[in-house]
Amino acid sequence: MRSHRLALTVAALCAAFAATSAQAVTEIQFWHSMEGALGERVNELVQEFNQKNSDYKINAVYKGNYGESMNAGIAAFRAGNAPDILQVFEVGTATMMYARGAIKPVQQMSEEAGEPLDPKAFIGAVAGYYSSRDGKLISMPFNSSTVVFYYNKDAFKKAGLDPEKPPKTWEELAAAGQKLKAAGQECGYTTSWPSWVQLETFSAWHNVPYATEDNGFGGLNARLAFDTPLHVRHLDNLAKLAKEGIFMYGGRGDQPNSLFIGGKCAMITGSSGLRANISKNAKFEFGTSTLPYYADVSGAPQNTIIGGASLWVFANKKPEVYKGVTKFFHFLASPEIAARWHQQTGYVPVTKAAYELTKKQGFYDKNPGTEVGVQQLNVETTAQSRGLRLGFLPQIREIEDQEIERIMSGKASAQDSVKTMVSRGNELLEKFEKSIK
């Protein structure tokens, strides 16, 4: 009888302990914008972390594209049920930075959790973009990308072009487009993210200002400054290529990606993070190269700027949540994980150790072109090429995309549209400045 009672007591204690252990698991809500092949990679990372850290459970939830997820996160915060982690695209950086009371800076969070993140461990251009003026990380670098040039090697061969010599200048791109068209290619060139690629990155690549005050890093009184002959010339050139049937405007954001992956367009400028989807879905051999530039512009090419997104942590969460988030961020920044993410997706390695490990593993030698994004970023930046830190940048992009569409459809001249972009954009910047002050 005593043995039976003892067994029952032990069983009860075990059940109680199991229940307590189950209750001790800290759940962390992570909202992101990765879909398709990239979404699969995110789910794999989260599953691996959860398996290695039984005290925590990351719940990864896809919340739509970057704009949709950011709006959802802000709305959830205002309603009092914000997620713990929110993936926000780089153009939302200024908005999130100045959202006083809503954000927990990741540097502060990690220090309070007893596991400080080291900003110096990250690639300089990446850490600099997501750090405060005193060099402390505000958000966690994650899927940092940059613009690269992809081309269809099979289409190049068919057109009599050397598949190992992609165009390096805009003049060479136009010439290649003519040959591709003559060979029956429906579209020579397209671009995703028109405003990011053709205005923001274009400015940095040619070492000319996009905005005043060091593109916004110098203060809230920054204003757009790309109403220059060079920018007008470039948009005029794209419109000319569109009339000649060489350039095809495929829409905003990443909508044009399907034109390249499906084989309709033989060349595209897009995110380095596009590589995962090209590798998985394209039915042709493709190459990766540096962005085209105008050879007569002094100082070009300079460097590209980062895109993609970082991970932001909302304020007013429990200490155990912040401890779990800190562990998750250390996991993402570990050399093996960061290197694997880079190699599988095409996003640049966010840490120096991940870059060195990737080189040591011979990945770049085995996969020519995959180092292009890192090489375009891994140079000393200038005041014109560091990147952008402007309020209401998502809304400014909408204005720019709208005007670019008007140019490409022949409804407006590049000269007039550029003036409109700058004028309307500066109205938003002034509004943002007043709202912060």
Side-chain angles (χ1 to χ4, degrees), residues 339 342-343 347-349 351 354-375:
H342 159 56
Q343 293 172 25
Y347 286 110
V348 299
T351 67
Y355 180 42
E356 292 302 322
L357 177 59
T358 299
K359 287 198 294 185
K360 183 178 179 180
Q361 292 172 339
F363 179 79
Y364 299 128
D365 294 330
K366 299 173 185 175
N367 301 274
T370 52
E371 196 175 6
V372 168
V374 190
Q375 292 171 333

Side-chain angles (χ1 to χ4, degrees), residues 113-164:
E115 294 185 76
L117 289 161
D118 182 9
K120 295 181 180 178
F122 296 86
I123 296 290
V126 175
Y129 197 95
Y130 296 119
S131 295
S132 59
R133 289 188 178 182
D134 58 359
K136 292 192 175 183
L137 289 171
I138 304 171
S139 62
M140 173 68 186
F142 178 48
N143 59 309
S144 290
S145 63
T146 195
V147 184
V148 296
F149 178 81
Y150 298 105
Y151 64 103
N152 183 328
K153 287 189 173 184
D154 293 349
F156 267 49
K157 293 175 184 176
K158 182 180 177 181
L161 295 165
D162 189 337
E164 304 307 321

